Amino acid sequence: MFDVRRTWIDLSRLSDDQLRDIGLTRDDVIAEMSRPIWDVPAHWRQDRDVRC
């Protein structure tokens, strides 16, 4: 969960030009940040389960 939060913070700090360079818009970032913290891609959870 800390990784997800850090990613959201990092994305929110990027300029619109920087976001465009990586194929995102400000609306994409806002939509991502509005998702619940536990709503991560399934492969993130699977990778974590394998290491446990």
Side-chain angles (χ1 to χ4, degrees), residues 1-19:
M1 288 191 295
F2 293 113
D3 292 338
V4 173
R5 185 170 170 2
R6 170 54 52 198
T7 299
W8 289 353
I9 291 169
D10 291 343
L11 284 172
S12 71
R13 291 180 175 164
L14 295 177
S15 70
D16 289 340
D17 289 335
Q18 291 170 318
L19 289 172

Side-chain angles (χ1 to χ4, degrees), residues 33-49:
M33 292 177 73
S34 69
R35 292 172 48 190
I37 193 80
W38 58 85
D39 185 16
V40 297
H43 70 274
W44 286 14
R45 291 187 304 268
Q46 291 170 353
D47 289 347
R48 182 67 79 184
D49 290 343

Side-chain angles (χ1 to χ4, degrees), residues 18-34:
Q18 291 170 318
L19 289 172
R20 191 173 28 258
D21 285 345
I22 61 172
L24 296 174
T25 65
R26 182 69 49 201
D27 288 339
D28 293 334
V29 173
I30 292 168
E32 178 64 26
M33 292 177 73
S34 69

